[in-house]
Amino acid sequence: MIETPMDTATAAAPLPQSRHLATAVPGPRSLQLHAERAEQVSAGFGTVLPVFVDRAEGGILADVDGNRFIDFASGIAVTSVGASNPRVRRRVAAQLERFTHTCFMVTEYDSFTQVCRWLNRHTPGAFDKRTALFSTGAEAVENAVKIARAATGRANVLVFDEAYHGRSLLTMAMTAKVNPYRLNFGPLPAEVVRAASANPLRAPGGGAAGADPAAAALAAVEATLAEHGPESFAAMVVEPIQGEGGFIVPAPGFLSGLRTLADRHGIVLVMDEIQAGMGRTGTLFASEHEGVAGDITLTAKALAGGLPLSAVTGRAELMNAVHTGGLGGTYAGNPLACEAALAVFEEFEDGTLLANARAIEAAAREVLEPLVEQTGVVAQFRGRGAMLALEFADPETLQPRPDLAQSISASCHAQGVLTLTCGTYGNVIRLLPPLVMSEELLRDGLAVLRSAVLDAAQNAAPSDAPA
Ligand code: PLZ
């Protein structure tokens, strides 16, 4: 009998949920595949850890050399329900049997509507909403700007220091960090204006005890709006917790202050929940922690358990201000991705995953927060739920230590723990475990990270710091 892919998928034994090193990292097979890749793939793509994945499940990535890594990345906050979640697989497999694609602009299918219905109901804001589906996060951001422009008749877009919104031409301009995202790729649109953000550690007014970084940043935002004329702004786009910029939780009061400014000046507030949303922080949406609702909320990444899907959800009057035919895309709201999203929504129904996110925070805080006092190289442990980070810097001068973030991350990789870095200075190690990771696996990974930090701190005289 010829084995169909379905048969192999269902017959596969569960992947053991434990860390295991069969070879050095990367192993010989990965090294060989990586060499072949270099002959075929554009050099424009970087790689965090050059191992080739064979299977992934729960909290584990298994590579082609038989190594099993604890997954503290979730494919950058995507596989929150696990990389081969049974509900996602069942729904997608059933859809695969029916049809793969029609293009929603040509003929319709109901799963698209059902995904929109769930988002309209569950995104923050008690107002009548509509949703538009796309494929990538950058597309969602771009379409939010198009919608805000159509609704307001204005052009400018306000974004913030340390923001990340994507790699397409407009969203690259909205992203703060030049290298690697914007370098050599200009010119950039002049309608993107950047304002101060409220980084509790580093913004003006931050760090020092008793200062109010939210008030300082909001005053700077008002000055920026005044400079350009507040009536020139269609939208302000903000991440409720900044992701690529360093897992920065804005100082309390900053998001609600932006809400007030947006209302005062008739500017559409766009909440970019692409990385922080869909349960990652212990609530369905990160903006809920501050009790602030955007006029438009953006989701992607964890929305569809690994299939490409993104969404723009917002006030009905904004979403319907666009002329018919003005929004779309060949793959927008692909039926396989919509079924995957419906499976993800089912996974969130009983509240277990949100509770898991909060339990992940509690365990990580217990293991990692003492490092701030103990080591003298960790300036801050921060984040919410399962979106957590350590910033490496001199606690007094805040001189960033990207060298430590890199070497500690490399040590974790060599020991079978996949960590990612981020931050404007590249000096932050971030944790994004799948919300289904067992406590045992989580604690094993945290212990590896903790001892790597302690080792690095012992060997790191402050004089090693880059001048
Ligand atoms: N908005 C807040 O975090 C994507 C980028 C990885 P796309 N973040 C991961 C990389 O280096 O390309 C992101 C985000 C926020 C928008 C995006 C863009 O989402 O699906 O990558 O387009």
Side-chain angles (χ1 to χ4, degrees):
M1 196 185 94
I2 296 167
E3 216 177 29
T4 67
M6 230 356 242
D7 293 329
T8 34
T10 47
L15 192 55
Q17 294 295 301
S18 59
R19 182 165 61 99
H20 174 73
L21 292 177
T23 68
V25 176
R29 182 76 185 126
S30 278
L31 285 173
Q32 183 194 343
L33 292 172
H34 192 74
E36 285 173 25
R37 158 202 156 135
E39 299 298 313
Q40 307 300 335
V41 180
S42 160
F45 273 78
T47 308
V48 172
L49 174 60
V51 305
F52 282 71
V53 172
D54 179 46
R55 283 181 66 193
E57 187 176 315
I60 288 289
L61 299 170
D63 77 5
V64 292
D65 290 291
N67 299 304
R68 294 198 301 273
F69 296 85
I70 297 180
D71 183 7
F72 278 171
S74 298
I76 320 192
V78 171
T79 53
S80 294
V81 298
S84 52
N85 177 282
R87 267 205 178 91
V88 172
R89 284 161 55 199
R90 272 200 300 276
R91 269 196 178 263
V92 173
Q95 178 59 42
L96 207 45
E97 296 294 313
R98 296 168 61 221
F99 59 92
T100 56
H101 175 84
T102 68
C103 186
F104 193 71
M105 302 180 301
V106 178
T107 53
E108 302 164 291
Y109 38 92
D110 185 51
S111 54
F112 191 114
T113 309
Q114 297 312 321
V115 172
C116 295
R117 181 193 302 279
W118 191 93
L119 288 166
N120 292 339
R121 217 175 256 171
H122 289 90
T123 50
F127 38 77
D128 190 24
K129 296 180 197 134
R130 295 291 185 276
T131 291
L133 301 182
F134 302 95
S135 304
T136 68
E139 255 188 303
V141 175
E142 295 243 352
N143 278 285
V145 172
K146 284 165 65 173
I147 291 162
R149 283 182 174 173
T152 61
R154 304 169 176 185
N156 280 341
V157 181
L158 192 77
V159 293
F160 297 92
D161 287 338
E162 303 184 282
Y164 183 93
H165 298 293
R167 291 177 182 268
S168 61
L169 273 165
L170 178 65
T171 61
M172 164 179 84
M174 295 169 67
T175 291
K177 193 173 176 177
V178 172
N179 189 2
Y181 305 119
R182 299 158 51 149
L183 196 68
N184 303 326
F185 295 146
L188 304 177
E191 294 77 14
V192 176
V193 177
R194 194 169 308 283
S197 61
N199 179 339
L201 190 65
R202 292 180 178 276
D212 183 353
L218 286 166
V221 172
E222 280 205 74
T224 304
L225 288 173
E227 221 169 80
H228 294 264
E231 67 288 346
S232 70
F233 286 90
M236 50 173 89
V237 185
V238 66
E239 296 158 89
I241 297 180
Q242 292 183 312
E244 303 304 307
F247 277 33
I248 301 160
V249 184
F254 183 65
L255 292 178
S256 59
L258 293 183
R259 179 69 275 177
T260 304
L261 288 175
D263 288 340
R264 185 180 305 155
H265 299 299
I267 301 170
V268 177
L269 179 63
V270 179
M271 206 55 82
D272 181 345
E273 293 258 12
I274 287 166
Q275 186 152 173
M278 290 309 299
R280 174 54 49 190
T281 66
T283 51
L284 271 180
F285 296 93
S287 46
E288 292 173 41
H289 293 285
E290 296 289 324
V292 176
D295 301 301
I296 288 177
T297 296
L298 306 180
T299 46
K301 288 191 183 277
L303 175 61
L307 275 83
L309 187 69
S310 64
V312 181
T313 303
R315 291 181 184 277
E317 63 272 24
L318 296 175
M319 299 300 294
N320 289 337
V322 181
H323 56 282
T324 299
L327 301 179
T330 304
Y331 293 113
N334 168 271
L336 297 168
C338 285
E339 288 294 332
L342 294 175
V344 167
F345 301 157
E346 287 168 11
E347 288 288 335
F348 274 103
E349 233 158 61
D350 70 2
T352 305
L353 290 180
L354 297 180
N356 289 358
R358 297 190 289 267
I360 288 168
E361 175 176 349
R365 188 173 292 284
E366 178 194 316
V367 176
L368 300 179
E369 199 166 40
L371 293 171
V372 177
E373 294 295 317
Q374 287 166 6
T375 63
V377 296
V378 180
Q380 209 177 34
F381 169 82
R382 60 174 177 251
R384 288 197 211 271
M387 184 172 187
L388 300 166
L390 291 170
E391 175 159 351
F392 294 91
D394 183 300
E396 296 298 316
T397 63
L398 296 184
Q399 174 70 46
R401 296 294 304 269
D403 55 324
L404 291 177
Q406 296 307 322
S407 66
I408 291 163
S409 216
S411 163
C412 289
H413 296 171
Q415 297 177 72
V417 178
L418 176 56
T419 46
L420 299 175
T421 58
C422 63
T424 303
Y425 306 99
N427 64 328
V428 177
I429 291 183
R430 56 172 153 172
L431 304 181
L432 288 165
L435 306 181
V436 296
M437 182 177 284
S438 72
E439 182 174 352
E440 195 186 350
L441 204 55
L442 174 71
R443 287 195 178 268
D444 182 28
L446 291 172
V448 169
L449 173 58
R450 177 177 175 277
S451 58
V453 174
L454 289 171
D455 286 351
Q458 281 228 310
N459 303 326
S463 55
D464 290 355

